[in-house]
Amino acid sequence: QLQFVESGGGLVQPGGSLRLSCAASGLTLSYYTIGWFRQAPGKEREGVSCISSSTSRTDYAGSVKGRFTISRDDVKNTMYLQMNNLQPEDTAVYYCAVADFTPTPYICSVPPGNARYRYWGQGIQVTVST
Protein backbone atom coordinates (compact mmCIF):
# COMPACT_ATOMS: atom_id res chain seq x y z
CA GLN A 1 0.00 0.00 0.00
CA LEU A 2 1.39 3.36 -1.06
CA GLN A 3 1.71 5.82 1.78
CA PHE A 4 3.52 9.06 2.52
CA VAL A 5 3.97 10.48 6.00
CA GLU A 6 4.94 14.13 6.09
CA SER A 7 6.34 15.81 9.18
CA GLY A 8 8.35 18.79 10.30
CA GLY A 9 6.00 21.65 9.55
CA GLY A 10 4.83 24.29 11.97
CA LEU A 11 5.12 27.92 12.95
CA VAL A 12 8.45 29.70 12.67
CA GLN A 13 9.58 33.31 12.84
CA PRO A 14 11.02 35.05 9.78
CA GLY A 15 14.63 34.06 9.33
CA GLY A 16 14.07 30.70 10.98
CA SER A 17 14.48 27.18 9.64
CA LEU A 18 12.43 24.03 9.30
CA ARG A 19 13.10 20.63 7.80
CA LEU A 20 10.24 18.79 6.18
CA SER A 21 10.33 15.02 5.92
CA CYS A 22 8.31 12.69 3.73
CA ALA A 23 8.66 9.01 4.56
CA ALA A 24 7.42 6.72 1.80
CA SER A 25 6.20 3.15 1.87
CA GLY A 26 4.93 1.06 -1.01
CA LEU A 27 7.47 2.39 -3.48
CA THR A 28 11.20 3.09 -3.63
CA LEU A 29 11.85 6.82 -3.89
CA SER A 30 15.22 6.42 -5.61
CA TYR A 31 13.48 4.88 -8.63
CA TYR A 32 11.53 8.07 -9.32
CA THR A 33 11.89 11.77 -9.80
CA ILE A 34 10.52 13.32 -6.61
CA GLY A 35 9.63 16.83 -5.63
CA TRP A 36 8.15 19.28 -3.19
CA PHE A 37 5.27 21.57 -4.02
CA ARG A 38 3.42 24.21 -2.04
CA GLN A 39 0.09 25.99 -2.13
CA ALA A 40 -0.53 29.28 -0.39
CA PRO A 41 -4.04 30.51 0.40
CA GLY A 42 -5.73 31.84 -2.72
CA LYS A 43 -2.87 30.78 -4.96
CA GLU A 44 -2.23 27.91 -7.32
CA ARG A 45 0.02 25.06 -6.31
CA GLU A 46 3.61 25.65 -7.39
CA GLY A 47 6.72 23.56 -7.65
CA VAL A 48 9.40 24.23 -5.07
CA SER A 49 12.13 21.70 -5.74
CA CYS A 50 12.84 18.35 -7.37
CA ILE A 51 15.52 15.67 -7.49
CA SER A 52 15.97 13.33 -10.44
CA SER A 53 16.06 9.57 -10.11
CA SER A 54 19.13 8.60 -12.12
CA THR A 55 21.59 11.35 -11.28
CA SER A 56 20.05 13.02 -8.20
CA ARG A 57 20.35 16.35 -9.93
CA THR A 58 18.19 19.02 -8.36
CA ASP A 59 16.29 22.10 -9.38
CA TYR A 60 14.60 24.86 -7.42
CA ALA A 61 12.09 27.61 -7.87
CA GLY A 62 13.83 30.95 -8.14
CA SER A 63 12.12 32.20 -5.02
CA VAL A 64 13.73 29.52 -2.83
CA LYS A 65 17.07 28.99 -4.56
CA GLY A 66 19.91 29.37 -2.08
CA ARG A 67 17.58 28.96 0.90
CA PHE A 68 16.00 25.51 0.42
CA THR A 69 17.73 22.17 -0.11
CA ILE A 70 16.07 18.97 -1.26
CA SER A 71 17.58 15.61 -0.40
CA ARG A 72 16.78 11.93 -0.25
CA ASP A 73 17.84 9.18 2.15
CA ASP A 74 17.68 5.90 0.25
CA VAL A 75 18.15 3.78 3.36
CA LYS A 76 15.21 5.42 5.13
CA ASN A 77 13.25 5.83 1.86
CA THR A 78 12.58 9.39 2.93
CA MET A 79 12.83 12.74 1.19
CA TYR A 80 13.58 16.03 2.89
CA LEU A 81 13.27 19.74 2.33
CA GLN A 82 15.60 21.85 4.43
CA MET A 83 14.25 25.38 4.54
CA ASN A 84 16.44 28.19 5.83
CA ASN A 85 15.88 31.93 6.15
CA LEU A 86 12.14 31.42 5.92
CA GLN A 87 10.04 34.42 5.00
CA PRO A 88 6.30 35.16 5.36
CA GLU A 89 5.82 34.51 1.64
CA ASP A 90 6.93 30.91 2.22
CA THR A 91 3.76 30.31 4.23
CA ALA A 92 1.85 27.50 2.53
CA VAL A 93 0.83 23.88 2.69
CA TYR A 94 3.76 21.83 1.44
CA TYR A 95 3.35 18.54 -0.41
CA CYS A 96 5.82 15.83 -1.31
CA ALA A 97 5.18 14.14 -4.62
CA VAL A 98 6.46 11.36 -6.85
CA ALA A 99 6.46 11.49 -10.64
CA ASP A 100 5.46 8.38 -12.57
CA PHE A 101 6.53 9.98 -15.86
CA THR A 102 9.40 12.30 -16.72
CA PRO A 103 10.81 13.17 -20.17
CA THR A 104 14.21 12.05 -18.89
CA PRO A 105 15.40 10.43 -15.65
CA TYR A 106 18.62 12.44 -15.69
CA ILE A 107 17.29 15.87 -14.84
CA CYS A 108 14.19 17.41 -13.37
CA SER A 109 12.84 20.92 -13.59
CA VAL A 110 10.84 23.43 -11.61
CA PRO A 111 8.20 24.11 -12.85
CA PRO A 112 7.82 20.41 -13.74
CA GLY A 113 7.10 20.88 -17.45
CA ASN A 114 5.96 17.57 -18.95
CA ALA A 115 6.72 15.52 -15.84
CA ARG A 116 3.66 13.95 -14.30
CA TYR A 117 3.52 13.89 -10.53
CA ARG A 118 1.01 11.21 -9.69
CA TYR A 119 1.56 10.30 -6.04
CA TRP A 120 1.13 12.94 -3.35
CA GLY A 121 1.58 13.32 0.36
CA GLN A 122 -1.23 14.66 2.49
CA GLY A 123 0.32 18.09 2.87
CA ILE A 124 1.79 19.86 5.87
CA GLN A 125 1.35 23.44 7.01
CA VAL A 126 4.30 25.82 7.21
CA THR A 127 3.57 29.23 8.68
CA VAL A 128 6.18 31.98 8.84
CA SER A 129 5.07 34.80 11.10
CA THR A 130 6.05 36.95 14.04
Side-chain angles (χ1 to χ4, degrees), residues 1-2 23 32 37 59 62 66 103 117:
Q1 182 179 355
L2 183 60
Y32 300 88
F37 293 74
D59 197 20
Y117 283 85

Side-chain angles (χ1 to χ4, degrees), residues 29-110:
L29 290 177
S30 62
Y31 294 171
Y32 300 88
T33 288
I34 58 178
W36 288 94
F37 293 74
R38 67 185 181 186
Q39 187 166 19
K43 295 186 176 181
E44 292 188 356
R45 186 171 59 196
E46 64 174 352
V48 175
S49 181
C50 64
I51 184 166
S52 66
S53 57
S54 292
T55 61
S56 296
R57 290 182 64 176
T58 59
D59 197 20
Y60 297 89
S63 60
V64 307
K65 197 168 292 185
R67 301 188 297 125
F68 289 13
T69 302
I70 189 173
S71 62
R72 188 186 69 222
D73 185 324
D74 294 342
V75 173
K76 295 182 178 180
N77 204 33
T78 299
M79 57 191 288
Y80 301 96
L81 185 67
Q82 177 67 44
M83 305 184 294
N84 297 327
N85 190 23
L86 283 159
Q87 299 301 315
E89 53 267 32
D90 296 316
T91 295
V93 177
Y94 284 71
Y95 300 88
C96 58
V98 174
D100 69 343
F101 171 78
T102 54
T104 170
Y106 303 108
I107 61 172
C108 63
S109 64
V110 176

